[in-house]
Amino acid sequence: MNRVILSVVALVAFCACASQAHPDMDFPFGRIVNGDAAEIETHPYQVSIQTTKGSHFCGGSLVDDDTVVTAAHCMQSYGADELQVRLGSKSRSSGGEVVSVRAFKFHEGYNSKLMINDVAIIKLSTPVRQTSKIRAIPLASVTPPSGTPAVVSGWGTTCFLFCSSPDTLLSVVVDLLLAKDCGSSAFNYGDQIQDTMVCATGEKKDACQGDSGGPLVANGELVGVVSWGNGCAWTGYPGVYADVASLRAWLLDTAKTL
Ligand code: ARG
């Protein structure tokens, strides 16, 4: 019995490492982000959400000079006084500006089983000055059609198993998939894909653990918030995002009143 478990573990480890060494090989444990090193000027809305000890745990997007959009599931473990946000740096551990958090609120309809309404608003304790490295991104009011190229970025892990998080920002281009397509029989999620979700897919390209809360951007607008996925970059399992267009009214309203 133990030997069986051991060989499964060994096989999994081999696949994960092999897919790292040979990103072109079609292992089930695809290498994410399969991304490229990114400059913060290319993604100046990208922020790192961290504990006050400086440990990054989620991404976020600056949407005005004192407001960050992130995922509701990112905001379940800490109080506002235990959080900080780093902006304007491609490194999650140095550079840019570190600002404390005045308040946050996650969507009251967030459901951790269904993963619906997976969005939250964070208010910074002081507004930031926008520069070439720190810039708010508009919220999409319509989600572009399936097949539209979109870029996802973050400091998340580079594969699902046994991969660490890079210190420097990575990004990857993926194709948007509207909920009706993502939930279709072309993929394996079925009715897990709800109306407040949008997906994005690419061959061995995806967001992964630690990218959550971060931006999916198309046509210069925030279209999605990294939410969940079965594995990372697994065939038949696109990355799933909170759909900004359908949650836009809640986001704007909460940003105004919080
Ligand atoms: N839930 C993950 C996080 O907390 C993000 C997962 C995204 N997964 C994916 N395959 N796109 O960081």
Side-chain angles (χ1 to χ4, degrees), residues 73 206-212 226-229 231-233 239-240:
H73 83 260
D206 197 0
C208 205
Q209 308 316 118
D211 288 321
S212 274
V226 178
S227 179
W228 61 279
C232 298
V240 189

Side-chain angles (χ1 to χ4, degrees), residues 21 49 143 184:
I49 301 173
T143 306
S184 78

Side-chain angles (χ1 to χ4, degrees), residues 237-249:
Y237 296 98
V240 189
Y241 298 75
D243 180 45
V244 168
S246 60
L247 296 162
R248 180 185 158 89

